[in-house]
Every structure is written in structure tokens, then in C-alpha cells.
Amino acid sequence: MDAISPTSFKTGTNLVVDLNGSAILKIFPPIYAAQFAVERLALRQLDGRLSVPIPRILAEGEDSGWSWLIITKLPGTVGSEVWPVLSEQERLAILGEIGRTIAEVQAVDPGELLEMQPAWPDFIKRQTEGCIERHRRQGLEESLLADLPALLHAAPSVLPAEVQPVILTGEWIPENLLLTETSDGWQLAAVIDFGDVMTGWREYDLLGPSTFMCAGVPDRLRAFLEGYGVPAEDYNNAMRRRLTTLMMLHGASDMRGIAICDWQASVRKLEDLEDLIWPKAL
């Protein structure tokens, strides 16, 4: 690869380098070997199967426990840079596109990804066991911590016991979405970062857009869920409680990241937070 003035990105878990404006080098240290394996497999499994571009693998390798991928650099602006200044109409359109793209990903046969760890039941068990202490460390209010034991106790009856595993990225967040401006306004241009892919219950991937982009606005949530393909009658209290439960169990769960300004002032219990993020009426 000819690299002219390679430049590293300042954010991200691994070292990510722009090689020449058209290719990206990702370097995975030994402790993140699993991320290398799952990203490589996910990119291969999804290649050519989505209507929205994702990176393609150009080269790969391993040396002394370190792994690396060279992938295509896709055009677009990182969503987190643009989202705050978009018009509401543009946000609704993009959320619909995100919903459709998630549905496309989940329609792809997971293939060998089903063999990657953790399996969904093991993941839920592990997250449940560490849930209360994790949120306590993050400074969750005592009133909300007090509601967690009941929520976790009810989780086995709230979440489906048997699921048909689908591909989950776990991170449908503005930082992993590229947007581009067209004559019709800003649109979804590409999806990046597949290092945390796993398989499991499909609703898990509804959490990122709900908490980081919909921000409790009914019209946004409606546009997103319609794009994903949720019939109006299926958006009910049972679904809302499933989403709240999954939010507290998410692998990157941190209530400090909820994109609703000063939400703590109007929340005294988990049910209040549920009503704020997923309003009863859309």
C-alpha cells in the first residue's frame, strides 16, 4: 500500500490510520484479537448484501499476536458531527434509513458468526450478573439502582427465551454512521465499525438510535421503527419494557450517554426513564 502522510484518528478502541484517503488501516493488539476476528468475518458476511455501503477488506494479516485489516475508506461525514445541525425533516429521513439498514443486516444469514462468543444466552447471563455494580460505578442515581433488582428478576419473563439469532452490531450510533449532503438534504451514506458484532435477539440493535438519536421525540421514534418494519400494533408496553431491559443490559450501557437534555430532573424511577425514551404514544 502506498501511504502518503498516514494520519491516525483520535477516537476508537484500536489504532486506526488513514493511509492515503481511500484506505484505512486498523491495528488490533492481542487483547482485542476477538474484535479482529469478528470484524473480518462480519465484513465478509455482509459484503454486497446491503443497500448502504460498508467497508471492504483489501488486505489482512497477523504478526506476534497483533492483527490488522486494511479496508476501504468510504466517503461521508461522521454522523456525530452533523446530527446536531440537521433539520428535523432530515433527521426523520435518516432515522428511517437507519431502521431499514438494520433490518437488512438482520436479514443476512449469520453463518459462521453464530460460532463467535459469547452466545446470546451467555451474554444475557453475564450482563445480568454485573448489571447493578456496573451502573453503580457509573454513578446511576440511587432511586434507579433500587429498581434494578426487580427489572433483572423479571428479565427471563420479559425477554424471549428462544430467539432466532440475527447479526447485531450493538453500535448503531452517530459515530459509526457516515452521512452525505445531497440535493434532497443529508442522507445515510455508509455504516462503519463492525468490531463488536455478535448474534442474538433482534431488538437489541434498536437501542442505539433510540437513545442517541430519537431522544424521546415521538416522530423520530416512529420514523425509525417504521423504517425497521415494526407494525404500529407491535409497539406496545411489552416491547417498551423489553427495550428498557435490554438497555440496562447492553454491553456498553451507560445512562450518562442518553441524548435527552437534563433527563435526570424528570426521572424518579426506571419506568419514568422508559416513558421518556420510548413514549407510550407515537
Side-chain angles (χ1 to χ4, degrees):
M1 296 293 297
D2 293 328
I4 303 172
S5 301
T7 306
S8 64
F9 292 87
K10 297 188 184 333
T11 59
T13 303
N14 299 293
L15 177 61
V16 182
V17 181
D18 186 332
L19 292 182
N20 55 18
S22 62
I24 298 291
L25 168 66
K26 297 187 70 171
I27 300 177
F28 304 80
I31 59 171
Y32 293 128
Q35 283 193 1
F36 165 74
V38 76
E39 182 149 13
R40 177 179 59 177
L41 191 55
L43 290 177
R44 288 175 174 169
Q45 194 71 8
L46 295 172
D47 186 31
R49 293 182 168 93
L50 307 178
S51 59
V52 174
I54 63 172
R56 289 185 301 104
I57 298 175
L58 302 176
E60 61 184 78
E62 298 181 66
D63 188 358
S64 303
W66 290 70
S67 315
W68 54 270
L69 289 172
I70 296 179
I71 57 179
T72 52
K73 182 181 180 181
L74 300 173
T77 303
V78 175
S80 55
E81 297 180 11
V82 180
W83 189 255
V85 299
L86 296 181
S87 70
E88 195 60 21
Q89 198 58 40
E90 288 171 324
R91 290 173 178 169
L92 295 178
I94 290 170
L95 283 164
E97 292 179 289
I98 293 170
R100 286 188 290 274
T101 305
I102 294 175
E104 288 180 356
V105 169
Q106 296 183 353
V108 175
D109 180 1
E112 294 180 39
L113 287 168
L114 290 172
E115 302 172 13
M116 303 299 290
Q117 298 301 316
W120 180 252
D122 296 334
F123 171 77
I124 292 297
K125 182 176 183 293
R126 183 187 71 193
Q127 293 302 110
T128 299
E129 290 172 348
C131 181
I132 295 176
E133 183 53 37
R134 181 172 60 254
H135 286 292
R136 178 177 285 114
R137 288 197 310 269
Q138 294 169 352
L140 188 65
E141 287 77 2
E142 287 297 328
S143 61
L144 301 185
L145 284 172
D147 286 344
L148 278 180
L151 179 135
L152 297 176
H153 180 74
S157 62
V158 170
L159 301 178
E162 299 292 331
V163 304
Q164 181 67 40
V166 299
I167 298 174
L168 305 170
T169 77
E171 291 196 326
W172 290 89
I173 57 178
E175 289 78 7
N176 293 336
L177 305 172
L178 299 182
L179 307 180
T180 187
E181 190 172 19
T182 71
S183 57
D184 295 324
W186 286 86
Q187 298 178 352
L188 180 64
V191 181
I192 59 175
D193 195 351
F194 293 81
D196 291 310
V197 162
M198 58 185 291
T199 60
W201 173 236
R202 61 183 64 251
E203 289 181 349
Y204 184 79
D205 264 1
L206 302 182
L207 300 174
S210 296
T211 55
F212 292 107
M213 307 179 82
C214 293
V217 179
D219 286 349
R220 294 186 196 176
L221 188 58
R222 184 189 309 111
F224 170 56
L225 294 178
E226 285 180 352
Y228 179 71
V230 175
E233 60 271 20
D234 286 355
Y235 179 75
N236 52 28
N237 288 338
M239 180 179 183
R240 295 167 64 248
R241 180 46 53 98
R242 288 195 303 271
L243 292 172
T244 300
T245 303
L246 290 171
M247 177 179 67
M248 303 310 294
L249 296 176
H250 193 284
S253 181
D254 188 340
M255 299 303 101
R256 294 171 295 185
I258 295 173
I260 300 177
C261 184
D262 197 27
W263 62 265
Q264 295 91 338
S266 56
V267 168
R268 295 292 176 267
K269 52 187 178 179
L270 281 178
E271 187 176 345
D272 296 335
L273 184 57
E274 178 175 288
D275 292 343
L276 200 60
I277 299 175
W278 294 286
K280 291 181 180 178
L282 299 182

